[in-house]
């Protein structure tokens, strides 16, 4: 019989790609959604009938324990979080509850029901923050620069701690930024590709951004969920950096995105101090050597291909809304 996986954060970018991957592999996939007054599961609507959806919240221990007890999964992927860095300054306590303590609740649910269940924790390159070494690898010390980064450091260490304390197969994937046409519109890559498409179609006149000098190691989300799965198939639980090993400034992403629609970016982009952060992560570049050597994982999508596919997808989506 196929394996069962529980995915928290199923309605998010990564949840949707991971669900597709696991369904292709013959898994029974159980997605955790939280109660809302409207159901807008736009990223997983195409999987209706293939997924089981259950209701639970990272803030509520008993709901998580019930899901684990009732579904008895082989693997749990904890992708749910308050994941937008600027929102973590506006809502620092809530971010700590979801993104930090939520991990303990998931671990406790597993420990109390069946310590044999394997667990993946979605850790982040934001933990490196003010970087101590270039490139960043598994052994690089953390120095987070936002309440989100601080919460993720807690999530990372509580995962390591439950592994060491209770012998759980719990791993922390330290993933660098990964993007797609399913990325939330507030994150810089999608904000840019959506903005470029709007400008090209005459729906907007400008694109307002913050710090164009920040550098990120950007990959494609579809490649990164493969690494999550691979981590849970290993003989022993270990933590891995997942990255492309290349970095680009926000300005490079902007330039390339505008080039995709044959426009120069300079006349359209306005730097707006509202989008500048109280503390910035200036440079991220990961070293994925361990993942390559031990998991056989490598990214398949280049930076240029990523920008192109995101611009094309936004152009297609928005073209459908423009009346001719
Ligand atoms: P995302 O699109 O923002 O999705 C977040 C998911 O978490 C959504 O399904 C959301 O549900 C759910 N969620 C939020 N609060 C919850 C709560 N209290 N209870 C239950 N579910 C809750 O994030 P993503 O980009 O897919 O990222 C997935 C994970 O990887 C996150 O933990 C993120 O912090 C981490 N990460 C992401 C990146 C990246 O570059 N994408 C890099 C490193 C780590 P709703 O739909 O109801 O809001
Ligand atoms: O910002 C700069 C901004 O919001 C990237 C999350 O998935 O990846 C993501 O966090 C950079 C920053 O992602 C705008 O200052 C300039 O330097 O797309 P972002 P992030 O903060 O790197 C990590 C790995 C995660 O774990 C997180 O969950 O772009 N930037 N102008 C801007 N950023 C935004 N959002 N909007 C702007 O207008």
């Amino acid at each position: 019989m196929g394996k069962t996986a529980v995915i928290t954060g199923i309605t998010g970018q990564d949840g949707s790609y991971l669900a597709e991957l696991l369904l292709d592999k013959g898994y029974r996939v159980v997605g955790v959604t939280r109660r809302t007054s409207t159901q807008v599961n736009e990223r997983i609507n195409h999987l209706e009938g293939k997924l089981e959806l259950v209701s639970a919240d990272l803030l509520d221990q008993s709901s998580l324990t019930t899901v684990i007890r009732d579904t008895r999964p082989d693997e749990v992927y904890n992708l749910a979080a308050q994941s937008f860095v600027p929102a973590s300054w506006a809502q620092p306590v809530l971010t700590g509850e979801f993104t930090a303590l939520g991990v303990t609740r998931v671990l406790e649910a597993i420990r109390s029901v069946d310590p044999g269940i394997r667990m993946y924790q979605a850790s982040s390159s934001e933990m490196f923050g003010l970087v101590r070494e270039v490139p960043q690898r598994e052994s690089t010390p953390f120095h987070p620069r936002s309440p989100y980064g601080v919460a993720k450091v807690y999530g990372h260490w509580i995962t390591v701690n439950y592994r060491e304390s209770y012998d759980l197969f719990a791993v922390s994937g330290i993933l660098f930024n990964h993007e797609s046409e399913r990325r939330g519109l507030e994150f810089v890559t999608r904000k840019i590709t959506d903005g470029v498409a709007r400008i090209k179609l005459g729906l907007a006149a400008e694109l307002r951004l913050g710090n164009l000098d920040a550098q990120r190691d950007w990959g494609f989300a579809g490649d990164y969920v493969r690494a999550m799965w691979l981590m849970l198939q290993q003989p022993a639980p270990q933590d891995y950096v997942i990255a492309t090993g290349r970095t680009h400034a926000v300005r490079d992403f902007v330039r390339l995105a505008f080039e995709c629609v044959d426009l120069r970016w300079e006349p359209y982009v306005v730097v707006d101090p509202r989008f500048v952060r109280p503390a910035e992560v200036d440079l991220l570049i990961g070293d994925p050597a361990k993942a390559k050597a031990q998991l056989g994982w490598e990214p398949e999508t280049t930076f240029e291909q990523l920008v192109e596919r995101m611009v094309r997808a936004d152009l297609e989506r928005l073209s459908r809304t423009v009346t001719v």
Side-chain angles (χ1 to χ4, degrees), residues 83-85 124-126 148 175-177 183 186-189 191 208-211 214 216 250 275 277 280-281:
S83 74
F84 188 45
V85 171
S124 166
S125 52
E126 281 294 297
Y148 169 81
L175 271 53
F176 283 60
N177 299 54
R183 186 59 139 152
E186 66 275 34
F187 297 91
V188 78
T189 55
K191 185 174 170 184
R208 302 185 86 83
L209 295 171
N211 177 14
R216 290 290 183 275
V250 171
F275 299 112
R277 300 177 179 185
E280 179 62 287
V281 173

Side-chain angles (χ1 to χ4, degrees), residues 170-288:
V171 305
S172 168
I174 306 174
L175 271 53
F176 283 60
N177 299 54
H178 46 280
E179 317 292 317
S180 72
E181 54 275 25
R182 298 184 197 167
R183 186 59 139 152
L185 284 163
E186 66 275 34
F187 297 91
V188 78
T189 55
R190 187 74 198 291
K191 185 174 170 184
I192 294 167
T193 60
D194 175 75
V196 164
R198 282 176 193 278
I199 289 168
K200 182 67 181 175
L201 295 170
L203 299 171
E206 62 178 23
L207 172 59
R208 302 185 86 83
L209 295 171
N211 177 14
L212 302 183
D213 295 321
Q215 290 172 268
R216 290 290 183 275
D217 180 330
W218 277 298
F220 171 54
D223 289 341
Y224 284 43
V225 297
R226 241 183 325 111
M228 298 176 185
W229 176 76
L230 283 166
M231 285 180 218
L232 291 196
Q233 314 313 310
Q234 300 310 303
Q238 288 191 43
D239 307 324
Y240 297 87
V241 159
I242 302 297
T244 70
R246 292 176 68 204
T247 194
H248 298 271
V250 171
R251 183 180 284 98
D252 299 329
F253 197 109
V254 169
R255 182 180 43 76
L256 258 182
F258 275 92
E259 277 176 14
C260 288
V261 296
D262 300 319
L263 290 174
R264 286 179 53 244
W265 66 273
E266 291 89 339
Y268 300 104
V269 173
V270 179
V271 172
D272 186 334
R274 278 185 306 144
F275 299 112
V276 175
R277 300 177 179 185
E280 179 62 287
V281 173
D282 294 319
L283 165 71
L284 289 175
I285 176 166
D287 176 0

Side-chain angles (χ1 to χ4, degrees), residues 81-117:
Q82 191 302 95
S83 74
F84 188 45
V85 171
S88 78
W89 278 287
Q91 301 184 334
V93 175
L94 190 66
T95 300
E97 287 284 355
F98 284 11
T99 306
L101 281 179
V103 186
T104 311
R105 296 189 187 100
V106 173
L107 286 160
E108 271 298 299
I110 291 171
R111 187 176 79 87
S112 63
V113 173
D114 175 3
I117 296 169

Side-chain angles (χ1 to χ4, degrees), residues 15-51:
S16 66
Y17 283 109
L18 180 63
E20 285 171 6
L21 178 89
L22 297 180
L23 286 169
D24 276 354
K25 291 187 180 297
Y27 276 66
R28 169 186 169 224
V29 178
V30 181
V32 176
T33 60
R34 52 181 168 165
R35 197 265 160 190
T36 48
S37 67
T38 49
Q39 284 286 315
V40 193
N41 297 338
E42 60 182 31
R43 297 188 179 102
I44 52 169
N45 278 337
H46 63 293
L47 300 176
E48 204 182 328
K50 298 181 182 165
L51 286 177

